[in-house]
Amino acid sequence: MDLQERYAGAIMGHVIADALGTAYTMKEPCDIPLKLEMTESTDAVTGHKVAKGQLSDDGSQLICLGESLIANGFDVADQFLRYQRWLRHGYATPLGQA
């Protein structure tokens, strides 16, 4: 397995875990059931409603970072612009806005 496949696997693992765990973000351990169920929730940062199995701000920001790194290498200005688009317009979210 080459490095690019390992990166892709790490990103996919994060996105899947994010989608499964979004409803339990910011909860006390005692408030998390032993058998997890996907439920609707509210994104802790944006306040947007998050449907069952959708990404939170964590997954969306990871997508913004990954796309920026692929397109421009380590370019903080480009990363910042993508994060602004995410926050203001739903870029890289299930909302699907550009």
Side-chain angles (χ1 to χ4, degrees):
M1 183 180 308
D2 71 359
L3 193 57
Q4 188 172 6
E5 289 174 330
R6 292 174 67 189
Y7 287 152
I11 290 169
M12 191 63 107
H14 174 91
V15 170
I16 290 169
D18 183 43
L20 291 171
T22 296
Y24 304 101
T25 301
M26 309 299 274
K27 302 259 189 211
E28 293 295 325
C30 61
D31 295 331
I32 300 172
L34 292 177
K35 183 178 179 185
L36 298 180
E37 296 180 16
M38 286 193 286
T39 61
E40 291 184 359
S41 60
T42 301
D43 189 284
V45 173
T46 63
H48 295 142
K49 292 289 183 195
V50 180
K52 294 178 184 181
Q54 288 186 338
L55 300 176
S56 74
D57 57 307
D58 298 337
S60 295
Q61 290 175 21
L62 179 66
I63 292 169
C64 289
L65 175 61
E67 288 181 348
S68 178
L69 290 170
I70 290 168
N72 301 300
F74 191 79
D75 182 340
V76 176
D78 182 70
Q79 290 173 29
F80 183 70
L81 290 174
R82 290 172 192 266
Y83 296 142
Q84 283 183 320
R85 285 175 50 203
W86 157 75
L87 184 61
R88 294 180 180 158
H89 307 290
Y91 173 72
T93 70
L95 300 174
Q97 298 173 1

